[in-house]
Amino acid sequence: MKPDLRVLPDVAEMSLRAAEATVATINGAVRVAGRCSLVLAGGSTPRMLYGLLASQFRAQVPWEHVHVFWGDERYVPPGDPRSNYGMAKEALLDHVPCPAANIHPMPTDLATADLAAWAYEATLRNHFRGDWPRFDLVLLGLGGEGHTASLFPGSPALAEKKRWVMAVEAPAAPPVRLTLTLRALTRAAVVYFLVAGQAKASALCQTLGTSPDGSRYPASGLVLESGTVTWWADSEAGAPLIR
């Protein structure tokens, strides 16, 4: 099946269209189930989308029914500028009426990252009563080498069949991280990848190619059981795929 790739002229237009779709997806989930589980991405690419949700689209989201989770986290304090939670808090969560009890950051204050991974898995299992979580919407990015969340090439979290959350060593700074496992993401109802910049163009081409290699480009290994995946890209990242 051909990937659902939407290439927009620039990051601003990409963020706007992805924000519109995010609002529609959240509202759809709330209408059906009374609540929405939203997984946020880290990195710099989603910052503009978060800003739009916090301003232009703030009143269109039923924030009291939204539960916020994270796909991965650097094992640093929340106030560290590298913290995914800290970025989302600054750009989005400090500006919307989402109840504090609905915000579920990955803990980074336990003695070891592995203990923190088990703690976050307990949080997820308390929210999702099934064998695996079923997130309503997962926002993800794409690294220049094809990673997503903190699922890098060769990560044990790619092949894990039982755990929902793992501590991993990433070939990037800071190396100690928490991440949802690939299996934990496959039950999601909707996944939006946000990809921007020429540095991501090659990885995007490889990930969406006719014969993607999930071991080298982990994002290509995210095949949902019954959900939908949409790739939002700016022209610098996506142009090679539409020529």
Side-chain angles (χ1 to χ4, degrees):
M1 182 181 297
K2 187 176 181 180
D4 183 358
L5 172 64
R6 307 182 188 188
V7 180
L8 288 307
D10 52 34
V11 174
E13 186 70 12
M14 179 195 77
S15 300
L16 175 62
R17 299 308 171 198
E20 291 172 342
T22 295
V23 170
T25 300
I26 291 173
N27 278 281
V30 172
R31 281 195 300 270
V32 170
R35 67 180 186 176
C36 174
S37 53
L38 170 66
V39 176
L40 297 182
S44 59
T45 303
R47 181 182 286 273
M48 188 175 294
L49 183 152
Y50 294 165
L52 289 167
L53 294 178
S55 56
Q56 183 174 335
F57 296 102
R58 181 179 184 274
Q60 298 180 31
V61 175
W63 293 106
E64 68 274 17
H65 300 299
V66 177
H67 282 261
V68 181
F69 302 91
W70 273 260
D72 74 318
E73 183 57 275
R74 290 83 177 263
Y75 210 69
V76 296
D80 190 293
R82 299 168 294 180
S83 168
N84 289 340
Y85 165 74
M87 187 276 282
K89 182 176 184 295
E90 176 189 348
L92 171 61
L93 299 173
D94 281 348
H95 311 287
V96 298
C98 187
N102 289 11
I103 300 172
H104 311 282
M106 289 181 163
T108 58
D109 59 348
L110 301 185
T112 68
D114 194 50
L115 286 174
W118 282 113
Y120 201 62
E121 181 158 334
T123 295
L124 292 176
R125 287 185 181 274
N126 187 56
H127 187 84
F128 299 98
R129 298 300 184 178
D131 292 336
W132 290 95
R134 181 167 173 79
F135 300 110
D136 295 300
L137 174 59
V138 177
L139 302 179
L140 291 170
L142 180 70
E145 75 299 283
H147 86 269
T148 190
S150 280
L151 299 168
F152 285 81
S155 171
L158 293 170
E160 175 61 37
K161 302 300 183 185
K162 295 182 179 180
R163 293 184 64 176
W164 297 12
V165 186
M166 290 183 67
V168 294
E169 291 280 337
V176 180
R177 303 185 179 202
L178 304 176
T179 187
L180 298 182
T181 62
L182 189 64
R183 185 73 181 273
L185 292 168
T186 59
R187 301 288 182 92
V190 179
V191 172
Y192 291 158
F193 278 93
L194 307 173
V195 189
Q198 188 175 7
K200 308 291 180 67
S202 177
L204 185 61
C205 287
Q206 294 292 337
T207 299
L208 298 184
T210 55
S211 300
D213 183 347
S215 63
R216 291 187 61 195
Y217 299 92
S220 67
L222 182 53
V223 179
L224 302 189
E225 292 195 357
S226 60
T228 60
V229 178
T230 302
W231 294 82
W232 304 87
D234 70 352
S235 60
E236 290 188 348
L241 284 163
I242 58 175
R243 287 172 183 165

